[in-house]
Amino acid sequence: LPDALHARLLFVKGRAMDGHAPAQEIVQVMEEALAAATRATDGDLLLDVMCMLGAAMSYTGRHDRGAEVSARAVELAGPETDPARRSRALGVHAQSLYNMGRHEEAFEIGRRALEVARAAGATAEAGQNAMNQSPSRSITAVNSFVTWTSS
């Protein structure tokens, strides 16, 4: 299979496993997806995989490694990146930082994620982002995170 297709299939498999398989198994699938996405040089796909991998690593208790991966995702998600993807990268990174006990930093990044998600909702009202979530769902998720971290 071409690397881009292989990475996309692994990414979809990892998403399907979420909530149904141990996080470590998801990490293994997403690490393989990361290698294929890197070879494919598809920036959007690479960003999607890094977000999922960072979250999965954090769920295994490897918060430091999850934060490293999610920080790389945030770097990759520059201003020219689709706002829904950028918001997701920021949100995953905020969650990883929160899990590490870095609450102030997590709160600020969560606020940035919320701002980007709101902008995505204003510019793509009915569109869906690459993770099949509407901008309003992204805003709800980030709002929940900001509320949670501020309490």
Side-chain angles (χ1 to χ4, degrees):
L1 291 174
D3 287 323
L5 178 59
H6 188 220
R8 179 65 58 194
L9 290 172
L10 289 167
F11 173 72
V12 170
K13 179 181 178 180
R15 290 227 32 235
M17 293 170 68
D18 193 18
H20 304 285
Q24 187 53 46
E25 289 180 25
I26 298 169
V27 167
Q28 290 170 344
V29 169
M30 298 314 293
E31 285 176 332
E32 189 178 345
L34 179 63
T38 300
R39 288 190 306 270
T41 65
D42 180 332
D44 288 343
L45 178 58
L46 185 60
L47 179 56
D48 292 343
V49 169
M50 289 173 76
C51 285
M52 183 79 181
L53 177 59
M57 285 181 163
S58 192
Y59 291 138
T60 66
R62 295 167 49 199
H63 304 304
D64 55 340
R65 185 70 180 114
E68 284 177 29
V69 172
S70 63
R72 287 183 26 220
V74 169
E75 290 172 11
L76 186 61
E80 70 288 346
T81 301
D82 168 59
R85 276 192 169 93
R86 184 170 169 73
S87 175
R88 186 176 335 101
L90 288 163
V92 167
H93 189 50
Q95 183 66 52
S96 293
L97 293 172
Y98 188 87
N99 291 341
M100 292 176 64
R102 293 166 58 182
H103 300 149
E104 292 295 322
E105 190 177 356
F107 182 74
E108 289 308 313
I109 291 173
R111 282 194 184 280
R112 283 181 36 216
L114 180 58
E115 291 169 6
V116 173
R118 284 186 175 145
T123 59
E125 297 169 17
Q128 291 188 338
N129 67 28
M131 298 288 281
N132 297 320
Q133 294 179 353
S134 68
S136 61
R137 255 181 84 182
S138 295
I139 290 170
T140 301
V142 175
N143 264 327
S144 296
F145 173 78
V146 170
T147 300
W148 178 53
T149 58
S150 62
S151 56

